Amino acid sequence: MALAVAHSRGLDGLEAPPVVVETHLANGLPAFALVGLPDAEVREARDRVRAAIVNSGFEFPSRKITVNLAPADLPKESGRFDLPIALGILAASGQLPAAALAAHEFAGELSLSGELRPVRGALAMALHAAGGGRDFVLPADSAREAALTGAGNLLAADSLLAVCAHLCGRERLERPPVAVDAADAPVFPDLADVRGQAAARRALEIAAAGGHSLLMIGPPGAGKSMLAARLPGLLPRLDPDAARASAAVLSLAGRFRPAEFGRPPYRAPHHSASAVALVGGGNPPRPGEISLAHHGVLFLDELPEFDRKVLESLREPLETGRIHIARAARQAEFPAAFQLVAAMNPCPCGRHGSPECACTPDQVARYRGRLSGPLLDRIDLIVEVPALPADELAGRPDGEDTATVRTRTAAAAERQQLRQGKPNARLEGREIDACCTTDADGTKLLRQAAERLGLSARGWHRILRVARTIADLAGSTELRAPHVAEAIQYRRHAQ
């Protein structure tokens, strides 16, 4: 048969549209044409496929070979099409039964020896291929990753020869294991290592319980980064849907580790990161740091040192939980329901208020002015992290450990899921009215704060969300004045 058809998957953002790989052999001078809007990685498949076929013991046909990747208007990238192209050539040349290709989808990069290498986006492809009615053949490492989706149509292969033996019915491919090696699970630093900083520890607990954004302000060495690094250990494990969504984004960027499945991701880009690195972009569009932190934590240290345009790009995803990337030729949308945690110094030298500080009031104002009012208005908790006195530095840490605090945050998070099915930080509109009704004293206190602090409507709602989380941590079904009063304390620096 001079024509063979194999099935694969492309990637368009988090979507994985089907791609049909058509291979035709014709008489004429030997040639290898690859059409269907392939990029440089896909075009280089010609040399990889040729060497893999020969080194696997098959004959590479000396004919005019045309491979079409359909649909033609979908850009094709990466080496995932190596395997279906090689199988199409073998089937078209009569070395494989062409009919066996119809019941499978294939994705995998070939080495020159015919071994299969893992590909990016295995989780996203597996999620979309699960309802296609075909078995999905992937490299062994990628198949173990994709198995976490729960799809039952996955097959793991180590080489081109193994796939060919399966298609010929000689040796069946195995289903990949779903188990995660607990020995490789990440170990988070313990909150008990932090000395003092009771107010900051309390704010960290509230942020973990309700998914709230947090800004810590304090001099260098006060423990801001240390506290932020301990936040992931306080967060509850992700539910299956959230875990799959987070893993799919990380897989798309080649950053996913199966041992971390179900753990909230933690991303900490350097302050020199560009807007594209943070929000995503490129051609084809790739997820940025805010999407890689989906259902996890994005920590921005030295917040005012980030470019102003970079910081302003956070405003939309902080509100909507999604980022839409629009380019002249391509558009993509990625999830970005991240929890922002940031740290900054009170002034350029970091020692504002001490005799060592030489910053002028104008310098301090310009430094703090790098953060716009709309951005600060979107941060739920702002807390000061002061320098520790010598007696606290010399003493032993006396705070609670991560396991103790996580018990409280997990219980509060469970109350939120039972009540509204989402964290308090994600409450909107009528949900706030239904879940965050305060008593008379609380309402009076909130009105007074609104007048004195000049609260915006967004600030008003954020105080209610934080107060709801404080009440959940206390096990209270009602919002009372003490809960509102504590929540107001975290808004003073935002105004």
Side-chain angles (χ1 to χ4, degrees):
M1 182 179 182
L3 178 66
V5 177
H7 300 273
S8 186
R9 291 272 165 180
L11 283 176
D12 185 14
L14 273 181
E15 300 295 317
V19 173
V20 178
V21 181
E22 302 170 324
T23 305
H24 179 255
L25 303 186
N27 295 326
L29 293 175
F32 195 155
L34 195 57
V35 298
L37 213 57
D39 71 354
E41 288 179 271
V42 181
R43 289 194 297 271
E44 290 172 353
R46 292 175 294 191
D47 300 313
R48 291 193 298 270
V49 167
R50 186 192 307 272
I53 288 177
V54 172
N55 290 323
S56 296
F58 296 100
E59 178 186 353
F60 191 84
S62 298
R63 301 174 65 181
K64 184 178 180 180
I65 304 172
T66 304
V67 176
N68 178 42
L69 306 176
D73 61 344
L74 175 69
K76 320 298 188 306
E77 48 91 19
S78 93
R80 70 175 60 87
F81 299 108
D82 289 5
L83 180 59
I85 291 173
L87 295 174
I89 292 174
L90 293 175
S93 60
Q95 301 177 73
L96 277 181
L101 299 180
H104 300 79
E105 292 185 13
F106 307 92
E109 180 182 330
L110 286 170
S111 69
L112 299 185
S113 65
E115 300 296 316
L116 282 173
R117 290 175 173 155
V119 293
R120 289 187 302 100
L123 269 162
M125 290 189 291
L127 285 170
H128 289 83
R134 301 186 181 95
D135 284 333
F136 194 17
V137 180
L138 285 166
D141 289 343
S142 297
R144 284 192 288 270
E145 173 185 314
L148 295 172
T149 63
N153 65 330
L154 301 173
L155 295 174
D158 293 319
S159 65
L160 176 60
L161 269 176
V163 178
C164 294
H166 171 81
L167 295 175
C168 293
R170 294 195 301 269
E171 187 175 348
R172 301 292 295 178
L173 294 175
E174 299 293 332
R175 304 287 181 187
V178 185
V180 174
D181 188 357
D184 294 332
V187 178
F188 300 108
D190 201 313
L191 191 61
D193 299 334
V194 179
R195 299 172 187 268
Q197 305 298 1
R201 291 169 62 101
R202 172 62 174 172
L204 200 70
E205 181 178 343
I206 296 170
H212 300 287
S213 52
L214 169 66
L215 173 60
M216 294 177 284
I217 305 175
K224 303 185 296 296
S225 300
M226 191 177 185
L227 285 161
R230 281 148 180 78
L231 177 59
L234 302 178
L235 300 176
R237 288 187 66 87
L238 301 177
D239 63 68
D241 290 339
R244 283 191 287 268
S246 173
V249 179
L250 291 168
S251 173
L252 199 62
R255 306 287 181 84
F256 176 69
R257 292 176 53 204
E260 297 177 356
F261 185 75
R263 302 276 185 178
Y266 179 78
R267 307 294 301 177
H270 191 260
H271 60 75
S272 61
S274 65
V276 172
L278 205 64
V279 306
N283 187 22
R286 299 279 181 86
E289 292 290 342
I290 62 173
S291 294
L292 297 179
H294 184 50
H295 292 307
V297 177
L298 177 69
F299 176 51
L300 302 182
D301 200 5
E302 304 295 343
L303 188 64
E305 301 299 333
F306 282 81
D307 186 85
R308 178 69 175 260
K309 292 181 180 179
V310 173
L311 295 179
E312 294 306 304
S313 65
L314 296 174
R315 287 161 54 175
E316 178 190 351
L318 276 173
E319 285 291 318
T320 65
R322 303 194 68 83
I323 183 68
H324 185 77
I325 300 171
R327 299 293 183 265
R330 297 287 300 277
Q331 293 187 358
E333 187 174 74
F334 296 106
F338 63 95
Q339 183 175 355
L340 176 64
V341 178
M344 63 176 286
N345 297 327
C347 67
C349 77
R351 304 188 180 279
H352 184 66
S354 69
E356 294 84 4
C357 180
C359 301
T360 65
D362 186 54
Q363 288 175 321
V364 175
R366 284 201 306 270
Y367 180 77
R368 296 184 178 182
R370 295 177 186 176
L371 305 181
S372 68
L375 176 61
L376 288 174
D377 203 32
R378 287 169 166 82
I379 297 178
D380 298 332
L381 305 163
I382 301 179
V383 62
E384 291 187 4
V385 185
L388 291 176
D391 56 343
E392 289 193 27
L393 288 173
R396 286 190 173 186
D398 57 356
E400 294 177 309
D401 60 10
T402 293
T404 302
V405 178
R406 185 170 57 230
T407 301
R408 292 197 296 268
T409 59
E414 186 176 358
R415 293 187 186 99
Q416 296 163 42
Q417 290 298 323
L418 292 174
R419 183 176 57 242
Q420 71 246 2
K422 62 173 68 173
N424 289 331
R426 295 290 169 187
L427 292 175
E428 298 178 358
R430 295 180 180 178
E431 295 172 333
I432 297 177
D433 296 334
C435 301
C436 303
T437 302
T438 63
D439 59 11
D441 291 339
T443 301
K444 179 180 178 181
L445 190 61
L446 190 55
R447 286 177 177 172
Q448 293 174 347
E451 294 176 358
R452 293 180 181 178
L453 300 178
L455 290 177
S456 65
R458 182 186 292 115
W460 177 287
H461 287 156
R462 290 192 180 276
I463 287 178
L464 287 175
R465 295 188 188 107
V466 173
R468 178 69 266 174
T469 300
I470 294 171
D472 288 335
L473 283 169
S476 173
T477 57
E478 299 179 355
L479 273 184
R480 299 192 177 94
H483 307 142
V484 175
E486 184 178 357
I488 291 172
Q489 298 304 309
Y490 299 116
R491 293 297 302 176
R492 291 178 302 165
H493 295 282
Q495 308 306 318

